Amino acid sequence: MISIKKLEKRIEDSRSLLCVGLDSDLERVPQKFRKHKHSQYEFNKYIIEATNKYVCAYKLNTAFYEKRGLIGLEDLKKTIDYINNNHPNIFTICDAKRGDINNTSRAYAEFVYEYLSFDAVTVNPYLGKDSVDPFLEYNGKAVIILVRTSNPGSSDFQDLLIDGRKLWQIIADKAGKSWNVNGNVMMVMGGTNINELKTARKEYKNIHFLVPGIGVQGGDIIKILEAGIRPDASGLVIMNSSRGVIFAKEPEIEAKIIYENILRYLKLR
Amino acid sequence: MISIKKLEKRIEDSRSLLCVGLDSDLERVPQKFRKHKHSQYEFNKYIIEATNKYVCAYKLNTAFYEKRGLIGLEDLKKTIDYINNNHPNIFTICDAKRGDINNTSRAYAEFVYEYLSFDAVTVNPYLGKDSVDPFLEYNGKAVIILVRTSNPGSSDFQDLLIDGRKLWQIIADKAGKSWNVNGNVMMVMGGTNINELKTARKEYKNIHFLVPGIGVQGGDIIKILEAGIRPDASGLVIMNSSRGVIFAKEPEIEAKIIYENILRYLKLR
């Protein structure tokens, strides 16, 4: 099944738009998991078992695994294998933010899609079309273009005006239109500026957005849903929470609260 | 010693401005190395021993190692350790093109500077200042900002005009001026457009440029030297060749030719 269809099926079945980010920085993982050799993997299994019925997707950021070198990469691989084996219907995102010249991007595509077996990867568009092609062409896998990020510095370049349009909009135009010939493009659209999200939804009606920034970064779930899901558009919003869920005192309760808020909103519509 | 000083010392001692890119894609590595368990590492050792007297730096692109998963990361680690142990004066660049929100970039900085022990890393600036800060603040290590790349798609966004200046120039202004408070910033400046290189040298006199694109990508060594090294500027150009050297029939001869061309030019001045 092509990855975007897998995501849509999972959303339909779970009624969830929550993505939990397994940013399992070992320094913040509770002490009891740290005694294990595969400490990040053991912690992730615990989080996955606590949250899987409330999520449509898991997102793993490579940074927190690579930081630990070989053992971290092992834990990353064991975690994605665990999800694929035990919860094969859940959509998986490798938050790698890669992007390089063409033949090099192809090697990254093999890393995330083949070696690690993720359904999707986040890609940095700064190097242009040929740097994104190897991901776009990868046999039905999903590609999530970094369009608008939610961090404080995002405005440094993403807000620059080119003939009256912001840089992120120029990139969104490319990503959402000319790059999407295989129907496998998604976009990162930060959740901290609701008006931008509204604008983007009007312009790219059929693209699913990955919205980081709920929870710790301050994004408001209901406002994001109002802006990102419209009766005249088929594109959905997948909202990510990482630290806010996984390092909560009770991750299950935290995920459940977000899930129920989403469910309530969807039923109200 | 802070990393930029290490680079300058190595250039002074070796009289070389050549960086060899160990993009040791296993599919292109000669058959005789592939029988080893650590095939990329064995190949890299051979290349390093053949070329070290002609280089100021080695650059390793993480993609070609990550593609192979754990064994690739092991070969990457063994290679950088080999360089650091046997040729400690050679400047080392992790061509990782990373960049993420602040706390995540910090994890990447630990990966490349701490776990792998590189002197420098390439960083993608699209997420803005706070995504680059963890690299800039890392205790004397060098940060090479992707300003202008040499691939065909680089013009998609890097050439966009903002009030008469191209996006890559806006990024170069930030990188070369406001981000360079610790004096550890370098820039990637593609070698395929000589006029841009000239312009950049005039504007950022004290910044060292990493120039990819010589050899396979078509950059001309002498023109790059003329444009990038000026009597009124202290910034140097480090020229990278990857495939053109390492997959040459005789890598040593190939590196030597480039080295001698550089040397001849420097003496002529």
Side-chain angles (χ1 to χ4, degrees):
Chain A
M1 185 172 3
I2 76 162
S3 294
I4 296 260
K5 295 286 169 216
K6 174 178 170 180
L7 172 63
E8 290 165 354
K9 174 90 168 61
R10 171 67 188 180
I11 291 173
E12 207 182 301
D13 293 346
S14 66
R15 303 303 294 154
S16 177
L17 295 165
L18 172 62
C19 173
V20 165
L22 300 170
D23 292 358
S24 309
D25 189 351
L26 194 61
E27 286 161 35
R28 297 195 58 189
V29 161
Q31 202 58 47
K32 65 176 172 179
F33 296 100
R34 292 197 224 169
K35 62 172 186 272
H36 290 280
K37 183 184 171 201
H38 293 290
S39 46
Q40 286 176 298
Y41 168 61
E42 292 296 331
F43 175 69
N44 288 343
K45 271 200 300 188
Y46 154 73
I47 297 291
I48 292 161
E49 287 317 307
T51 59
N52 69 79
K53 55 182 176 292
Y54 306 121
V55 309
C56 63
Y58 284 114
K59 178 170 84 67
L60 281 83
N61 193 306
T62 50
F64 299 105
Y65 300 91
E66 294 197 328
K67 167 179 154 175
R68 299 179 63 229
L70 282 170
I71 188 77
L73 182 55
E74 251 183 273
D75 281 6
L76 173 61
K77 173 78 176 134
K78 286 170 79 77
T79 302
I80 179 70
D81 287 349
Y82 181 85
I83 300 170
N84 284 335
N85 291 330
N86 295 281
H87 305 283
N89 301 324
I90 297 179
F91 188 68
T92 55
I93 301 167
C94 185
D95 194 0
K97 298 187 176 67
R98 298 299 200 266
D100 207 308
I101 66 172
N102 190 273
N103 76 313
T104 313
S105 274
R106 189 168 304 125
Y108 279 132
E110 288 181 35
F111 172 55
V112 295
Y113 293 142
E114 205 74 42
Y115 176 77
L116 291 173
S117 292
F118 277 93
D119 294 315
V121 63
T122 54
V123 172
N124 187 314
Y126 183 65
L127 271 67
K129 176 75 159 54
D130 66 302
S131 73
V132 183
D133 274 340
F135 300 101
L136 295 173
E137 292 160 0
Y138 214 94
N139 201 17
K141 296 284 191 173
V143 189
I144 309 174
I145 307 293
L146 293 179
V147 165
R148 187 64 165 117
T149 60
S150 53
N151 59 311
S154 63
S155 58
D156 285 348
F157 307 121
Q158 296 167 25
D159 281 350
L160 291 172
L161 280 175
I162 296 118
D163 292 334
R165 273 176 87 71
K166 290 182 174 178
L167 176 60
W168 71 262
Q169 294 180 294
I170 308 269
I171 290 175
D173 283 342
K174 289 272 190 188
K177 291 165 190 170
S178 59
W179 294 357
N180 195 24
V181 287
N182 298 326
N184 60 345
V185 167
M186 296 173 60
M187 294 180 194
V188 168
M189 275 301 306
T192 46
N193 188 325
I194 293 296
N195 284 330
E196 287 181 349
L197 194 57
K198 270 188 199 156
T199 307
R201 175 51 73 221
K202 278 181 201 146
E203 298 195 1
Y204 318 104
K205 291 193 196 298
N206 62 339
I207 303 280
H208 300 318
F209 296 154
L210 173 66
V211 180
I214 70 166
V216 172
Q217 291 180 68
D220 180 311
I221 296 168
I222 300 301
K223 285 185 182 154
I224 290 168
L225 288 168
E226 284 170 355
I229 300 189
R230 315 273 305 179
D232 61 340
S234 62
L236 298 167
V237 285
I238 319 304
M239 289 172 289
N240 183 75
S241 180
S242 300
R243 291 167 279 177
V245 168
I246 69 171
F247 298 131
K249 201 163 176 204
E250 297 184 273
E252 178 164 359
I253 307 286
E254 206 61 36
K256 192 174 176 214
I257 291 170
I258 301 174
Y259 172 73
E260 286 177 348
N261 278 333
I262 295 169
L263 206 61
R264 197 173 308 125
Y265 177 84
L266 293 176
K267 279 184 182 157
L268 278 175
R269 282 206 309 163
Chain B
M1 184 172 8
I2 77 161
S3 295
I4 296 261
K5 296 284 169 218
K6 174 177 169 181
L7 172 63
E8 289 165 355
K9 175 91 170 58
R10 171 68 188 179
I11 291 172
E12 207 181 301
D13 294 344
S14 65
R15 304 302 295 154
S16 177
L17 295 166
L18 171 62
C19 173
V20 165
L22 300 169
D23 293 358
S24 308
D25 190 350
L26 195 60
E27 286 160 35
R28 297 196 58 188
V29 161
Q31 201 59 47
K32 65 176 172 178
F33 296 100
R34 292 197 223 171
K35 62 173 186 271
H36 291 281
K37 183 183 172 201
H38 293 291
S39 46
Q40 286 177 297
Y41 168 61
E42 292 297 331
F43 175 69
N44 287 344
K45 271 200 300 188
Y46 154 74
I47 297 291
I48 292 161
E49 286 318 306
T51 60
N52 69 79
K53 56 183 174 292
Y54 306 119
V55 309
C56 64
Y58 285 113
K59 178 170 86 64
L60 281 85
N61 192 308
T62 50
F64 299 105
Y65 300 91
E66 294 198 328
K67 167 179 154 174
R68 298 179 62 226
L70 283 171
I71 188 76
L73 182 55
E74 251 183 273
D75 281 6
L76 172 62
K77 173 79 175 132
K78 285 169 80 74
T79 302
I80 179 71
D81 287 349
Y82 181 85
I83 300 170
N84 285 334
N85 291 330
N86 295 282
H87 305 283
N89 301 325
I90 297 179
F91 189 69
T92 55
I93 301 167
C94 185
D95 194 1
K97 298 187 176 66
R98 298 299 200 266
D100 207 309
I101 66 172
N102 190 273
N103 76 312
T104 312
S105 274
R106 189 170 304 121
Y108 280 130
E110 288 182 36
F111 171 55
V112 294
Y113 292 142
E114 206 74 41
Y115 176 76
L116 292 173
S117 292
F118 277 92
D119 295 315
V121 63
T122 54
V123 172
N124 186 313
Y126 183 66
L127 270 68
K129 175 78 159 57
D130 66 303
S131 73
V132 183
D133 274 340
F135 300 100
L136 295 173
E137 292 161 0
Y138 214 93
N139 202 19
K141 296 285 190 173
V143 188
I144 309 174
I145 307 293
L146 292 179
V147 165
R148 186 64 165 117
T149 59
S150 54
N151 58 312
S154 63
S155 58
D156 284 350
F157 306 122
Q158 296 168 25
D159 281 350
L160 290 172
L161 280 175
I162 297 118
D163 292 334
R165 273 176 86 69
K166 289 182 174 178
L167 176 60
W168 71 261
Q169 294 179 294
I170 307 268
I171 290 175
D173 283 342
K174 289 272 189 187
K177 292 164 188 170
S178 59
W179 294 358
N180 196 24
V181 288
N182 298 326
N184 59 345
V185 167
M186 296 172 60
M187 294 182 193
V188 168
M189 276 300 307
T192 45
N193 188 324
I194 294 296
N195 284 330
E196 287 181 351
L197 194 57
K198 270 188 200 155
T199 306
R201 175 51 73 220
K202 278 182 202 147
E203 299 195 0
Y204 317 105
K205 292 192 194 299
N206 62 340
I207 303 281
H208 300 318
F209 297 154
L210 173 65
V211 180
I214 69 165
V216 172
Q217 291 179 68
D220 179 311
I221 297 169
I222 301 301
K223 286 187 180 152
I224 290 167
L225 289 167
E226 284 171 355
I229 300 189
R230 313 275 304 180
D232 63 338
S234 62
L236 299 168
V237 284
I238 319 304
M239 289 172 288
N240 183 74
S241 181
S242 300
R243 292 166 278 174
V245 168
I246 68 171
F247 298 131
K249 200 161 177 207
E250 296 185 275
E252 178 165 0
I253 306 287
E254 206 61 37
K256 193 175 176 215
I257 291 171
I258 301 173
Y259 171 73
E260 287 177 347
N261 278 334
I262 295 168
L263 206 61
R264 198 171 308 124
Y265 176 84
L266 294 176
K267 279 183 183 158
L268 278 176
R269 282 206 309 161

